[in-house]
């Protein structure tokens, strides 16, 4: 078996988009280097049967666990338990959220070694707003302050949607983060992410946005500069819901392709009602205007400076 895997954890609600991303990961990795794992939490028998068969057809390993196996934690916290959930041979793993799309070669990331006990993660976009004086920036700082983060800590706050980790070190980090969740649950806005930042900052390597590209960065033209491999649809709506800015039909077409190829998956794709689509269309247009205004200029320069100094590069030079 390979020593590295790409893995997803999901409850039944996110199983369909996670499967689509896993298929893309399989297409963008070498089979002799990497296994692709889809891990389901509390999946009913009928759903298990469907996804087990389709995963087998697409060279994806499908594993199922119950909430008991992760200490009765919410499914979104399953990433904290990956040292327990993954089969033994894997020494490194790339954890990927289900609301992602893989658009580029992952081998060049997965071939990079990691020092014992470390993991790679991208600095969260909201960290680049620290120090600014607008409602969003003030809201972010209030959230950071609730955990006792200084301004310097807040600037290092990382996103947990994509994690490239040393398996052995992650076991300790995950256990400590789960303990912190019990203490800070009432304060968390992003449960897994907040507790991982509390315990993991000193073990984290900065990673290029190419490996975890927030889709709204398209509004400020960063996709053509950074050349993303993994697109992350961080907020609602999602591309399997509808065609909405800041993406286009190319973002929803992979979900159409999969339901066309495997019609038995159609019930697992929840489509947006027309009335809600109209409301979101107006909302998304406003958000695009607002984000262009708030994220242009100095914040873009902060992001580009970060790209130049990231510990784990994309393989592209910023500006190519």
């Amino acid at each position: 078996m390979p020593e590295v895997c790409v893995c997803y954890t999901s409850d039944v609600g996110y199983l369909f988009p996670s499967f689509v991303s896993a298929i893309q990961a399989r297409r963008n990795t070498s089979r002799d280097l990497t296994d692709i794992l889809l891990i389901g939490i509390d999946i009913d028998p009928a759903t298990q049967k469907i996804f087990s068969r389709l995963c087998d057809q697409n060279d994806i390993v499908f594993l199922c666990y119950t909430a008991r196996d992760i200490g009765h934690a919410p499914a979104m916290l399953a990433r904290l338990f990956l040292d327990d959930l993954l089969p033994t041979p894997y020494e490194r793993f790339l954890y990927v959220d289900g609301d992602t799309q893989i658009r580029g070669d992952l081998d060049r990331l997965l071939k990079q070694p990691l020092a014992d006990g470390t993991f790679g993660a991208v600095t969260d976009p909201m960290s680049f707003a620290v120090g600014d004086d607008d409602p969003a920036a003030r809201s972010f700082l209030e959230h950071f302050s609730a955990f006792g983060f200084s301004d310097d800590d807040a600037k290092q706050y990382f996103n947990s949607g994509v994690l490239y980790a040393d398996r052995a070190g992650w076991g300790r980090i995950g256990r400590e983060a789960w303990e912190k969740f019990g203490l800070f649950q009432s304060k968390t806005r992003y449960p897994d992410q907040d507790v991982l930042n509390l315990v993991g900052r000193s073990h984290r390597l900065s990673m290029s946005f190419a490996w975890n590209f927030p889709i709204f960065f398209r509004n400020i033209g960063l996709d053509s500069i950074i050349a993303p491999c993994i697109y992350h649809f961080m907020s609602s709506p999602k591309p399997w819901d509808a065609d909405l800015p800041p993406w286009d039909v190319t973002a929803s077409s992979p979900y159409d392709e999969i339901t066309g190829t495997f019609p038995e998956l159609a019930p697992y794709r929840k489509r947006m009602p027309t009335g809600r689509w109209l409301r979101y269309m107006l909302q998304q247009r406003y958000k695009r205007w607002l984000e262009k205004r708030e994220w242009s200029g100095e914040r873009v320069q902060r992001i580009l400076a970060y790209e130049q100094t990231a510990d784990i590069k994309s393989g592209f030079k910023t500006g190519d």
Side-chain angles (χ1 to χ4, degrees):
M1 292 179 67
E3 295 180 352
V4 62
C5 68
V6 179
C7 58
Y8 301 77
T9 61
S10 176
D11 58 13
V12 69
Y14 258 61
L15 208 51
F16 169 71
S18 298
F19 176 70
V20 174
S21 184
I23 285 180
Q24 294 175 334
R26 182 70 289 170
R27 293 171 181 169
N28 285 284
T29 52
S30 299
R31 282 169 167 76
D32 59 346
L33 172 69
T34 307
D35 287 339
I36 313 297
L37 277 68
L38 177 57
I39 299 172
I41 306 296
D42 279 345
I43 308 300
D44 63 271
T47 299
Q48 284 190 36
K49 184 175 181 180
I50 291 171
F51 278 89
S52 180
R53 175 172 54 82
L54 297 183
C55 284
D56 187 60
Q57 291 177 15
N58 290 277
D59 196 22
I60 297 167
V61 179
F62 184 51
L63 302 174
C64 286
Y65 293 93
T66 69
R68 291 191 303 274
D69 297 311
I70 57 171
H72 295 282
M76 71 183 314
L77 296 182
R79 73 198 74 186
L80 305 184
F81 299 86
L82 282 169
D83 183 43
D84 298 321
L85 302 180
L86 293 174
T88 302
Y90 305 117
E91 297 180 359
R92 304 188 311 283
F93 65 82
L94 178 67
Y95 167 82
V96 185
D97 270 356
D99 56 347
T100 56
Q101 291 186 18
I102 314 298
R103 302 284 189 88
D105 175 27
L106 295 181
D107 282 356
R108 52 202 166 88
L109 170 61
L110 298 171
K111 289 178 180 178
Q112 294 192 42
L114 287 169
D116 291 348
T118 64
F119 67 95
V122 170
T123 295
D124 195 86
M126 61 182 172
S127 294
F128 294 92
V130 172
D132 293 344
D133 187 22
D134 58 66
R138 289 193 293 272
S139 174
F140 295 154
L141 191 58
E142 180 182 346
H143 173 65
F144 293 137
S145 298
F147 292 93
F149 291 162
S150 67
D151 282 5
D152 286 342
D153 292 334
K155 291 176 182 178
Q156 301 299 319
Y157 183 91
F158 59 85
N159 185 273
S160 64
V162 178
L163 301 161
Y164 180 47
D166 166 61
R167 169 52 172 301
W170 190 257
R172 179 184 49 75
I173 292 169
R175 284 189 293 273
E176 290 184 12
W178 176 229
E179 291 173 3
K180 291 290 187 184
F181 181 75
L183 299 173
F184 289 92
Q185 182 175 0
S186 62
K187 295 183 179 181
T188 58
R189 185 185 298 181
Y190 312 100
D192 61 284
Q193 189 163 287
D194 288 339
V195 294
L196 281 171
N197 272 272
L198 281 169
V199 304
R201 289 197 309 277
S202 63
H203 305 282
R204 174 244 179 173
L205 303 171
S206 59
M207 197 156 64
S208 166
F209 274 109
W211 308 117
N212 186 359
F213 186 84
I215 191 63
F216 83 90
F217 276 11
R218 291 192 67 186
N219 290 334
I220 49 177
L222 286 174
D223 51 336
S224 61
I225 298 173
I226 294 175
C229 289
I230 302 177
Y231 286 83
H232 192 176
F233 300 86
M234 291 182 177
S235 60
S236 294
K238 305 293 187 181
W240 57 88
D241 294 327
D243 300 332
L244 292 164
W247 58 85
D248 54 24
V249 69
T250 61
S252 59
S253 59
Y255 308 100
D256 298 333
E257 174 192 341
I258 293 301
T259 52
T261 304
F262 308 113
E264 60 267 51
L265 294 182
Y268 298 95
R269 181 185 184 183
K270 307 302 181 185
R271 299 290 283 170
M272 186 180 293
T274 302
R276 191 175 168 206
W277 179 87
L278 289 170
R279 290 194 300 273
Y280 265 119
M281 177 61 74
L282 294 173
Q283 179 199 74
Q284 290 296 96
R285 290 184 182 278
Y286 171 73
K287 283 180 64 179
R288 181 165 57 177
W289 170 82
L290 184 64
E291 287 164 352
K292 283 182 178 180
R293 189 184 71 173
E294 291 183 344
W295 285 85
S296 298
E298 189 173 342
R299 288 188 193 175
V300 170
Q301 296 309 310
R302 293 172 194 162
I303 293 166
L304 295 179
Y306 166 84
E307 281 292 301
Q308 293 286 0
T309 59
D311 297 308
I312 301 178
K313 303 292 187 181
S314 67
F316 296 97
K317 291 183 180 179
T318 304
D320 281 0

